[in-house]
Amino acid sequence: MSNPASPPAVGVLAERPPLTFPPGFLWGAATAAYQIEGAAAEGGRTPSIWDTFSHTPGRVVGGHTGDVACDHYHRLDSDIALMAELGLKSYRFSVSWSRVQPGGSGPANPEGLDFYRRLVDALLANGIEPWLTLYHWDLPQPLEDAGGWPARDTAARFADYTALVADALGDRVRYWTTLNEPWCSAFLGYGSGVHAPGRSDPGDAVRAGHHLMLGHGLAVRALRAARPDAEVGVTVNLYPVTPATDSPADADAARRIDALANRFFLDPLLRGSYPADLMADLAPVTDFGHVREGDLATIAAPLDLVGVNYYSRHVVAAPVEGAAPEAYWRAPSCWPGSEDVRFVTRGVPVTDMDWEIDAPGLVETLRRVHEEYTDLPLYVTENGSAFVDAVVDGEVDDVDRLAYFDAHLRAAHEAISAGVPLRGYFAWSLMDNFEWAWGYTKRFGMIYVDYDSQVRIPKSSARWYAEVIRRNGLAAQ
Ligand code: FCB
């Protein structure tokens, strides 16, 4: 949490000095299985909650689904050639659970594992470090039918699946993250219901959050057993939460949202406890009876790194009687027990997602994790922006996205100068893809995808990022 909101300083590109990053800084780009692979019913893959959700009318804009997505499953080699052209040092991808373990239990599917083996081998052959995320939101549908993440058994299923993947790929993948953004899985999936599986129950959302973290802890154990020298971590999405004014009521609203958005995950994962104020706020929703003895020790298993996804800041104010709730992830029910806190917009520039652009928030976020929680190496495992892109004469000149990256890399550098052990940065995203409930209507890629022809066009930001990687920093502008 930080002090009352003031608009972030808007930098002027022309006045920016050159910056060099530490030697060996891991420059990467990220994607996720359901967002790019397609081939939803091929190679033995069975449906996940995102298949079911996207095929349910009214859930995703335009009725879009991940059936074909970027057809990455069939375009592996040419996509990796694009990564090599960019000069990526690392590529963060996720494994589709229902591709490698159809149905979410039982034996591995050799054909599914083979796809990821080919991916990893091709990355290594191109000198690109594979960074594997085990869970980027695509729970096998039968596990949801058996209760989903609000059910404790799902955590054990996740550990079994992890062991299968570790056995198959542990000899060639060094960097592993267990979960991507458990806040979204829990509070958008089971709270507001704007993400799969689309359920809406505040108690279920809290239980889902706990069982996701329990699954993480058990998965860390499975990874260590299979591959003692792996670098293991988790990715959380963090937001600075700022009160709209300096009134005590707004400060309390910020404390509540900070507890749900950030400390709900950071405290158990890195300190082995839930914050007392969070538990008090959630008392009307749950008695935390789902937390069993030993869970928090499992959840706080020692890690090798922490992944931080950063996009924007929350600015919040105390409830006002009769105020209308806001939509999407600001929807009231993704904040159990604090449904009536108001999310305030400051009128600063926003992306096509309507997310406020706030690069200083990245410095605050990284410093907070380092200064309040851990000395572990940190990685920005996602950062990026959606803007409306236009193809003109076969080119996409995405100056806004480029400026967003530039500002956030300068923020990342500032965090390093302030003592944060930041070891890498992954742009979200390598290419345009299926943006969850927004379908294909939001473009985050450095590479443009024409979804009709599957032609890829590197945007200006891709060329710029290649140069950043080449010089290990930013040129004077
Ligand atoms: C993050 C997700 C990622 C993508 C970006 C825009 O929350 O991890 O898959 O949707 O947002």
Side-chain angles (χ1 to χ4, degrees), residues 35 136-137 180-181 184 309 311 355 382 428 435-436 444:
Q35 294 181 277
H136 202 124
W137 307 355
N180 177 71
E181 303 191 352
C184 293
N309 289 359
Y311 288 94
W355 298 348
E382 282 180 29
W428 183 272
E435 179 47 34
W436 308 113
F444 275 91

Side-chain angles (χ1 to χ4, degrees), residues 239-326:
Y239 290 78
V241 184
T242 306
T245 72
D246 57 10
S247 76
D250 286 355
D252 194 58
R255 180 197 59 72
R256 282 173 165 270
I257 298 304
D258 176 57
L260 286 165
N262 301 316
R263 292 183 287 118
F264 186 104
F265 298 95
L266 288 172
D267 282 46
L269 290 165
L270 298 171
R271 291 184 180 157
S273 59
Y274 279 107
D277 65 319
L278 168 84
M279 293 180 75
D281 293 345
L282 284 170
V285 172
T286 175
D287 61 3
F288 280 83
H290 53 279
V291 180
R292 298 205 189 146
E293 211 180 323
D295 281 7
L296 284 156
T298 303
I299 288 170
L303 300 176
D304 304 305
L305 59 94
V306 176
V308 173
N309 289 359
Y310 177 79
Y311 288 94
S312 188
R313 177 190 301 272
H314 291 316
V315 181
V316 300
V320 168
E321 216 175 308
E326 293 182 64

